[in-house]
Amino acid sequence: MLDNFNRFVIPNLGLFMDGLTITVRICAIAFAMAVVMGAIACLIRLYVPVLRYFAIAYIEFSRATPIIVQLLWVNYVWPELFGFPKSVEWAGIIALAIQSSGYLAETFRSGIEGLARGQVEAGLAVGMTRAVAFRRIVAPQAVLVMAPSIINQFAVVVKASTLVSIIAIPDLMYDALKVVNQWFEPIEVLTSVAVLYILTIFALSATAKRVADHFRGKYGLDAQA
Amino acid sequence: MNNAVAEQKPILECRDLRKAFGAFEVLRSISFEMQAGVVLSVIGASGSGKSTLLRCLNYLEQPSSGVVFLDGEPIGLRRQADGGLKPDSPANIARMRAQIGMVFQQFNLWPHMSALENVIEAPRQVKGLKRAEAIEIGRHYLGKVNLLDKADAYPARLSGGQQQRVAIARALAMQPKVMLFDEATSALDPELTGEVLDVMRALAEEGTTMVVVTHEMRFARDVSDRVMFLHQGVIEEDGAPAQVFGNPASERCRAFLSSVAH
């Protein structure tokens, strides 16, 4: 066991780190895009008359299709239809972003709708326009309430990203499978890779949770957490 | 207080105000005028339309028909050159609302802002005051509600009574022409209503123009200049507290007053 570990994991640590770098990069970009896209979809769904039906369709579509279908679709169909993405990495990023944006849009919506109506009314009553009330009252509180779900969604992206290896993006999972297929010794390699994923997700959620807890504590909201 | 200003034009006027939710008519032709400096208490059973009336006064609720005038200016509607009225822009509605303070039953303080931040938010965001200027005003009004020492506390760390007093300071900080109170003490534990009523009484004595929807009959009788009894969306009784409480013309008002047994 230790022997196999020394033979297949240690020499490939450099390779795994390269893979992990790609995983983190893909996830970070995809998630950032998902937040923006999700926020836009959510705002349109909530506040823009007619267009909201397109937003609903987009949200339902993105949540109802398996990530692997979206990956293959964006990677093989989009270049034919739209002439992009030009690289598999961007295809992976876009597919992950599309799926996550759907979930985030719904998270944002529940955060906004869950806010007591009186919060906005208090803003309107002192003479705020709806836009100011949204920016100063709704958005900051919604983010605070939604923080745990948003963090969770990032972990989902990291986990879903293991599938991008099927369109030949050399992420951590891809590198692990490469080594496994070379030597047919999966136990140590896959276990080590699993640990790397766990550590990545754990480090991330722990940091995010600390930030969220800080603000909850500051506003005296810890009881609601 | 009444008589001194009786000849002025009204600060607030309702003209044939109606409000229906679907087929249900909550307000049916409400008309009244109110002078500056007057404290008007609106009483009535639950569902009589008092809160809806208050919410129509600052256009949080859009009237089905009729007009509310603040200082002669229609709210939510704009005068056309031909004298007609058409719906006003959101920015203008907001501008009118900025001149009307409102205190809610549930306080509705913003939990992510400290007491002082709650109070200076509107002067900063709506009036565009500089931070230092807004803080000066904010501290003045927090002092007025005896909460200067809680300026940096977040709402979750304040008692209900303290939260409601911050909410009053927040409304006052815009230096409104009229203050509306929507059952400001109904959500409070009985032992906390006193501190809020004291603040409201002090404001009344300073000559603040107030419309107070309340279940506190003692407040209505002792502090207001005028009491209005609403029943099923109609003004059933409207007069000085001594008359409304002592010798109401309306049988329903009489029944209501005896049922609340103050």
Side-chain angles (χ1 to χ4, degrees):
Chain A
M1 186 99 169
L2 196 63
D3 186 44
N4 273 354
F5 187 80
N6 285 330
R7 279 177 61 201
F8 305 119
V9 178
I10 302 295
N12 288 314
L13 270 183
L15 180 69
F16 293 156
M17 282 305 141
D18 289 347
L20 187 62
T21 309
I22 292 178
T23 292
V24 169
R25 182 171 71 220
I26 287 176
C27 293
I29 299 174
F31 190 68
M33 286 170 61
V35 169
V36 174
M37 288 153 61
I40 293 172
C42 164
L43 292 178
I44 292 177
R45 173 170 194 168
L46 285 175
Y47 302 115
V48 185
V50 185
L51 272 183
R52 64 187 300 259
Y53 296 104
F54 291 96
I56 293 172
Y58 170 78
I59 291 166
E60 292 307 320
F61 167 79
S62 72
R63 296 190 330 149
T65 34
I67 179 68
I68 199 152
V69 173
Q70 286 174 353
L71 263 175
L72 296 173
W73 183 60
V74 173
N75 191 49
Y76 295 114
V77 179
W78 278 32
E80 299 291 325
L81 289 181
F82 312 120
F84 79 98
K86 296 280 189 208
S87 71
V88 284
E89 186 166 326
W90 273 107
I93 290 171
I94 291 171
L96 287 170
I98 288 177
Q99 181 156 71
S100 252
S101 66
Y103 284 101
L104 285 171
E106 289 299 90
T107 304
F108 294 156
R109 183 166 72 99
S110 71
I112 291 170
E113 288 183 338
L115 207 63
R117 196 177 67 151
Q119 285 290 307
V120 172
E121 287 192 342
L124 299 179
V126 287
M128 289 184 189
T129 58
R130 286 208 172 265
V132 172
F134 184 86
R135 183 168 56 80
R136 299 291 303 172
I137 298 166
V138 177
Q141 289 189 64
V143 168
L144 210 62
V145 172
M146 299 176 310
S149 316
I150 296 175
I151 296 162
N152 187 42
Q153 189 57 39
F154 193 96
V156 170
V157 170
V158 174
K159 286 184 275 185
S161 76
T162 54
L163 287 169
V164 301
S165 54
I166 68 153
I167 55 170
I169 298 176
D171 74 328
L172 177 55
M173 196 63 215
Y174 180 94
D175 292 338
L177 290 175
K178 199 165 82 178
V179 174
V180 168
N181 290 334
Q182 206 171 352
W183 304 100
F184 297 102
E185 290 284 358
I187 298 174
E188 293 78 7
V189 173
L190 290 183
T191 308
S192 305
V193 166
V195 168
L196 278 179
Y197 273 110
I198 291 170
L199 289 178
T200 306
I201 291 173
F202 183 77
L204 221 131
S205 356
T207 314
K209 187 175 181 311
R210 279 184 63 169
V211 174
D213 284 351
H214 167 76
F215 284 106
R216 285 163 177 273
K218 179 177 168 190
Y219 303 135
L221 300 174
D222 6 27
Q224 291 175 16
Chain B
M1 216 179 294
N2 250 341
N3 301 335
V5 289
E7 302 310 319
Q8 293 174 6
K9 66 175 180 149
I11 188 83
L12 197 64
E13 182 188 353
C14 275
R15 219 175 273 171
D16 195 18
L17 198 65
R18 292 164 193 266
K19 176 70 189 178
F21 293 106
F24 181 59
E25 281 197 294
V26 184
L27 297 177
R28 297 183 289 177
S29 189
I30 301 279
S31 295
F32 68 90
E33 290 183 359
M34 182 179 166
Q35 304 297 333
V38 167
V39 176
L40 166 66
S41 286
V42 182
I43 60 173
S46 299
S48 58
K50 8 183 237 311
S51 283
T52 305
L53 168 60
L54 205 66
R55 292 167 56 83
C56 282
L57 293 184
N58 69 348
Y59 216 69
L60 273 185
E61 215 65 78
Q62 191 177 342
S64 302
S65 68
V67 193
V68 176
F69 296 87
L70 177 73
D71 219 356
E73 248 189 287
I75 302 178
L77 300 163
R78 197 170 7 180
R79 269 207 189 85
Q80 298 304 105
D82 62 6
L85 293 167
K86 76 163 208 188
D88 210 344
S89 66
N92 264 333
I93 294 173
R95 189 180 56 78
M96 292 299 286
R97 283 205 191 106
Q99 305 173 53
I100 306 173
M102 187 166 205
V103 177
F104 300 87
Q105 185 176 355
Q106 301 293 342
F107 330 138
N108 296 343
L109 288 184
W110 301 309
H112 58 303
M113 299 180 192
S114 70
L116 182 64
E117 286 167 343
N118 264 278
V119 178
I120 66 173
E121 180 68 8
R124 295 267 291 137
Q125 298 294 329
V126 178
K127 281 190 176 167
L129 295 190
K130 295 216 163 33
R131 193 173 162 80
E133 212 177 334
I135 286 177
E136 196 178 323
I137 292 173
R139 292 182 64 83
H140 170 75
Y141 286 105
L142 275 181
K144 234 175 148 66
V145 298
N146 301 317
L147 280 174
L148 211 42
D149 55 324
K150 298 287 183 189
D152 296 324
Y154 284 87
R157 307 243 189 264
L158 298 174
S159 74
Q162 290 170 332
Q163 288 189 52
Q164 192 61 299
R165 285 187 283 149
V166 173
I168 292 173
R170 174 175 70 179
L172 289 173
M174 288 298 282
Q175 293 157 332
K177 292 176 176 165
V178 180
M179 283 284 287
L180 310 177
F181 293 84
D182 189 6
E183 300 191 24
T185 57
S186 295
L188 294 173
D189 292 334
E191 74 270 20
L192 297 177
T193 59
E195 59 189 76
V196 173
L197 291 174
D198 286 346
V199 167
M200 290 167 64
R201 188 172 292 120
L203 289 176
E205 278 161 11
E206 284 173 22
T208 312
T209 309
M210 296 161 63
V211 181
V212 184
V213 165
T214 187
H215 289 295
E216 296 280 342
M217 292 306 145
R218 255 192 61 193
F219 181 90
R221 192 180 50 200
D222 299 347
V223 180
S224 31
D225 304 296
R226 176 175 170 190
V227 178
M228 198 181 266
F229 170 71
L230 238 58
H231 178 77
Q232 292 181 358
V234 175
I235 300 173
E236 279 263 328
E237 189 86 33
D238 181 1
Q243 181 242 313
V244 172
F245 284 96
N247 186 25
S250 146
E251 190 49 48
R252 289 203 189 91
C253 183
R254 199 182 296 269
F256 171 76
L257 288 173
S258 64
S259 75
V260 294
H262 35 291

